[in-house]
Amino acid sequence: MSDSKVVQDDDFVGTRKSELKKQGDDAFRRQDYRNASAFYTQAMKVDRYDAELFSDRSLCWLRTGDGRRALRDAVRCKILRPKWAKAYVRKGQALILMKDYEKACDEIAEGLELNPLSDELDKLYWEAMELKNGGTEAA
């Protein structure tokens, strides 16, 4: 295969993934989480190593109340980008949704060790701690 053919194929793949992600983002903005997750799933078929797609789909599952799927995608996201704060946020959110506050606190604390300046992780950590300790308020 010629180099120009490889470049054309790469361009096509990148464009296709970008189009599917945009459609997913548009559906998400409309709060159409089922269709958004379907578009992200299609984009993953184009690039199964894109951690952002797993993070986005995890958020869709969180919004629909499906903690198991949200956690599964968050775990995959973290495997792909182990130093990305958003991976820890998604995993923590999924564990909170599943009411596993102890694991959520541990996971979020691990993320904070890597990203101590993450306001999102910090806020989520205190939310998880309050829930773990029997608090009734969640952020």
Side-chain angles (χ1 to χ4, degrees):
M1 190 178 332
S2 73
D3 287 344
S4 65
K5 175 73 171 139
V6 171
V7 170
Q8 287 173 345
D9 288 349
D10 288 347
D11 287 347
F12 173 79
V13 166
T15 300
R16 182 72 180 134
K17 180 178 86 169
S18 179
E19 288 170 358
L20 290 165
K21 182 174 179 354
K22 183 186 178 315
Q23 288 176 293
D25 293 346
D26 290 345
F28 186 89
R29 276 190 286 283
R30 293 189 311 272
Q31 299 180 359
D32 183 357
Y33 305 121
R34 298 259 180 232
N35 276 323
S37 67
F39 284 119
Y40 296 139
T41 299
Q42 290 303 310
M44 287 171 189
K45 290 179 182 178
V46 176
D47 181 358
R48 61 185 180 178
Y49 300 105
D50 187 330
E52 288 183 39
L53 292 171
F54 283 94
S55 173
D56 292 345
R57 192 172 70 175
S58 179
L59 185 57
C60 289
W61 299 133
L62 286 165
R63 295 286 169 88
T64 61
D66 192 335
R68 284 182 3 155
R69 283 182 169 168
L71 181 60
R72 186 183 64 214
D73 281 349
V75 166
R76 183 76 176 146
C77 177
K78 185 179 165 192
I79 288 168
L80 292 169
R81 285 185 65 186
K83 294 184 179 180
W84 188 33
K86 188 65 71 180
Y88 293 87
V89 168
R90 291 289 179 258
K91 195 168 176 192
Q93 289 170 322
L95 289 165
I96 288 170
L97 181 62
M98 297 170 69
K99 300 187 183 333
D100 192 342
Y101 306 126
E102 184 77 35
K103 280 186 185 171
C105 288
D106 292 345
E107 187 67 33
I108 298 162
E110 185 181 332
L112 277 167
E113 285 178 27
L114 289 170
N115 303 283
L117 301 178
S118 171
D119 290 338
E120 193 173 18
L121 278 169
D122 186 61
K123 182 179 176 203
L124 193 60
Y125 178 78
W126 291 110
E127 177 185 339
M129 282 296 285
E130 187 170 337
L131 289 165
K132 177 180 143 185
N133 295 326
T136 55
E137 291 182 38

